[in-house]
Amino acid sequence: MGLNPATIDNEHTAASAGSSRGRRGQVDFFFIVHGHNGKPTDLSYLHHTIKQKAIESNKYCVVASSQSCPVGIGLREPKDGSDRETSYFRLYRLGKQAIVPEVNTEDASQTTESSVESSSTDNGNETPSCRPSAQNGTLIVHNAVCNEEKTHDGIAHGGVRLANEIKDVVLAEVNARRDELEANADNRIEVTLSMTGNSLGGLYTRYAIAYLVEALQQTSPSGGADSASEFNLVLDETIQIRFNVFCTTASPHLGCADHTYIPLPRLAERGLGMSMGETGRDLFRMNGLLYEMATSRRFLGPLAAFRRRIAYANAYGTDFPVPGSTAAFLDRESEYPHYFAENFDEENWNQLDSDLVSAGNDRGENANVEKRLIVATLYTPCRSIEEEETESLKSTHNGLTLMSNSLDALAWKKCFVDMRGEVPISIGLPRWLSWSEREECPIRRLRSKSGVVVSRDIAYFINDHTNGYRLAAPLGHNAICAFSRDSLSNSGGRQVMDYLATDLVDKMSRSMSDLK
């Protein structure tokens, strides 16, 4: 699908009319990547919610879908004044009532709806006028299309396709706006890359960023694997690329071997892997790819270069394809520390002193969503793994402990989601069989005992579907991301995606100097 010059002209006119700053600055790209047997439209709700939250936050001058993104086509409302709506827009209207953390400016609630409706273009891209109070930047949202019907040939092939699509989209969008964008001292347009990978898409994104570094790196790395300024990525000699926010939802970071919903003998795992083609061999660790991706500098360095890393996982046995332990890379032998949100300073990525915790822990997160769906938010501290420790962990739990610790050492925010009350098949237990209070769930009991827990303790509870106030079918894998192909069954995840989108917009929109 080619670029629409009319859309670009409309954006330029809106920005010029609403801002006195002249040329716009940094361009933030947000890529959404679907999973196994997926389609770009599967994550339509997240696509639109990211844009909506960005508009409401007043942190961007221009918010738009990429011109080649098929999802944007379905996001427009009818222009003839009729009551007819696209099925997706109707879905969004049903879901937007969910309460989310507030990031709105005072006038956002009055201007958001009118901005979206009045500025929709023929391909469904919202391009609201640049308000004087908005930051002087652009947000482009794109759902990857390259792996549709191509998810069986392995993580490496899918990752390379994704990397090439990212390059093509960035180049096309920047070229279409080049006259409006301000270059830096090196006469290059500065862009940032943020991405969310769902399920297998999380592994595609991890492979893709390593491939991008190899393809675009212009100078030799000068820092360690945890250096945010390590890579000098330049596209087409004129575009400076920096990594911003990396996020996954229900992605099998440790693979599926030893992480199936029902424990299977290795022979059965190998049979499943063979039936899924090269991707299955990767996921069931019939080769060394996932081990390399979790332990080698080639893959850890690019992942460490992101300013923020976030992982969402389903708790309490609600995810059949990707249990919470692999989605949050927890290991039963790992003692890597995890700090609860109220005991951690996310801005400085340090453990909070006990007196600061007792003085108050209001982090601005929405209490209703956190109480109902997000049972715990934990942070892992950044640290180096010494060579001696690496050698000792290689043989522990088939290398999974080293994989878990190596990923944790990059510093992550992990959100554990309880979808039992939101999936279609769910049965409440009698009081005498369940917890007397919802707050007494196992993870919250861990939090009440200490502000820090270790990976193995969380792993013990996270996959135990017998804990709790109700039994539910393990249908949380699609529900957590508000999967659009079965919107009614997965509608419970809309609040989770609203919550995530608000957090992502806040992290992405900050200036590079403000981000860790």
Side-chain angles (χ1 to χ4, degrees), residues 118-130:
S118 63
S119 58
S120 294
T121 61
D122 288 342
N123 69 344
N125 290 303
E126 290 91 338
T127 55
S129 296
C130 182

Side-chain angles (χ1 to χ4, degrees), residues 228-344:
S229 59
E230 176 180 356
F231 302 113
N232 179 31
L233 307 183
V234 179
L235 175 63
D236 194 41
E237 300 297 328
T238 61
I239 302 172
Q240 183 82 48
I241 297 178
R242 301 184 187 278
F243 293 144
N244 199 346
V245 181
F246 183 91
C247 177
T248 62
T249 57
S251 293
H253 290 283
L254 301 182
C256 298
D258 202 41
H259 289 93
T260 51
Y261 185 77
I262 300 173
L264 298 174
R266 183 56 178 162
L267 183 61
E269 289 184 343
R270 293 178 67 89
L272 279 176
M274 293 292 290
S275 70
M276 296 172 62
E278 188 61 30
T279 298
R281 287 186 279 273
D282 293 340
L283 291 176
F284 283 92
R285 299 184 63 208
M286 298 168 65
N287 54 48
L289 180 60
L290 285 188
Y291 182 84
E292 181 186 5
M293 288 176 63
T295 59
S296 74
R297 177 176 171 79
R298 176 192 175 194
F299 291 98
L300 293 179
L303 189 54
F306 282 83
R307 272 59 178 183
R308 288 288 188 270
R309 286 156 295 279
I310 304 169
Y312 273 61
N314 279 305
Y316 306 137
T318 55
D319 197 321
F320 188 87
V322 184
S325 55
T326 184
F329 34 98
L330 304 169
D331 183 72
R332 63 179 181 233
E333 302 293 335
S334 172
E335 297 184 356
Y336 204 94
H338 288 62
Y339 294 92
F340 285 99
E342 57 266 41
N343 298 90
F344 202 82

